[in-house]
Amino acid sequence: MSISHLWSREFLSKRSILWLLFICNALGTIYGYIWYGGQMVDTVNHGYIWQVIFVPDSPTASLFFCLALLLLLYPPKRLGSALFQQFIEALAVVTSVKYGVWAVAIIFAGQAQGDVLAWQDWMLVASHTAMAVEALLFVRLFHYRWTALTGPIAWTLLNDTVDYTYGVFPWLPGELYDDLSAVELFTYLLTLSSGFAAWIFMRYGNSKRL
């Protein structure tokens, strides 16, 4: 078996692989919400409760990916449910790519300015890289079209706006708070880039869609 078989449609679409990835992502999602627990409590205590939904960015992205996997395992049969599936799949790709790349970039940007990386940082680098990669790999199994991307991109831009308007963005390495405006700009640009990547991989990643 060639190594390329590991990212083929045939391999990725196996129910055993889908279930394995679902379990891994579900565990990561739970861990992510625990990781953000302190910031969520702080947001409730010092902000507004509605802002909490915008705090745990990465675990919410992996939650969307878990839902997308479930919809591959149990495909909806009604038109309305199928449209919902497209929305969730597009949301999973846009947010997984965006927050996967964002977290890795922020960790290394902090290191470049003097932050000392601990083992948890390397664990986050590995897990967030996997988030972005798996989302783009599974585009070939997803059903969304370009029209389904507008909602997820708008949602993610709204998330960015709430994050930097109310200060509920993920806590940064201390060295980066002097560069907050640059981080904000990078975040917005990454959202647009992730939406574009989701469209490119949807359009050209699967020959059956051409």
Side-chain angles (χ1 to χ4, degrees):
M1 181 180 68
S2 65
I3 192 170
S4 61
H5 179 68
L6 297 178
W7 54 78
S8 66
R9 281 180 59 93
E10 179 186 0
F11 181 78
L12 295 176
S13 61
K14 290 181 178 180
R15 293 186 70 84
S16 58
I17 297 300
L18 293 174
W19 275 116
L20 176 62
L21 284 175
F22 173 81
I23 293 170
C24 291
N25 279 274
L27 292 174
T29 299
I30 294 169
Y31 178 79
Y33 281 116
I34 294 172
W35 179 278
Y36 274 94
Q39 186 173 357
M40 293 169 71
V41 171
D42 184 72
T43 299
V44 171
N45 291 337
H46 299 96
Y48 298 96
I49 193 168
W50 62 266
Q51 296 169 357
V52 173
I53 193 174
F54 298 100
V55 172
D57 295 334
S58 294
T60 301
S62 62
L63 176 61
F64 292 143
F65 192 77
C66 285
L67 292 175
L69 290 175
L70 277 181
L71 291 168
L72 287 178
L73 287 163
Y74 302 101
K77 295 180 171 43
R78 296 181 180 180
L79 176 60
S81 298
L83 293 175
F84 173 74
Q85 180 180 19
Q86 287 194 43
F87 176 76
I88 291 296
E89 289 173 347
L91 196 56
V93 174
V94 172
T95 58
S96 293
V97 172
K98 186 267 181 74
Y99 294 117
V101 173
W102 186 91
V104 174
I106 291 299
I107 287 171
F108 286 128
Q111 182 192 38
Q113 296 197 30
D115 187 31
V116 178
L117 301 190
W119 69 266
Q120 294 96 331
D121 296 302
W122 293 109
M123 178 269 293
L124 291 173
V125 167
S127 61
H128 283 78
T129 299
M131 277 178 60
V133 171
E134 70 179 1
L136 293 177
L137 281 176
F138 272 83
V139 166
R140 69 187 69 183
L141 301 184
F142 289 162
H143 306 82
Y144 71 85
R145 296 296 185 266
W146 70 268
T147 50
L149 283 169
T150 56
I153 292 173
W155 166 261
T156 312
L157 288 171
L158 173 63
N159 196 335
D160 297 341
T161 301
V162 172
D163 277 356
Y164 293 94
T165 299
Y166 297 98
V168 295
F169 51 84
W171 287 338
L172 304 171
E175 292 79 2
L176 294 184
Y177 281 92
D178 289 341
D179 303 306
L180 189 56
S181 59
V183 172
E184 179 179 0
L185 176 61
F186 170 70
T187 302
Y188 276 103
L189 292 177
L190 189 55
T191 293
L192 298 176
S193 299
S194 299
F196 182 66
W199 177 79
I200 287 291
F201 276 75
M202 175 274 296
R203 183 69 176 86
Y204 299 105
N206 186 345
S207 59
K208 292 184 178 180
R209 298 187 183 198
L210 300 179

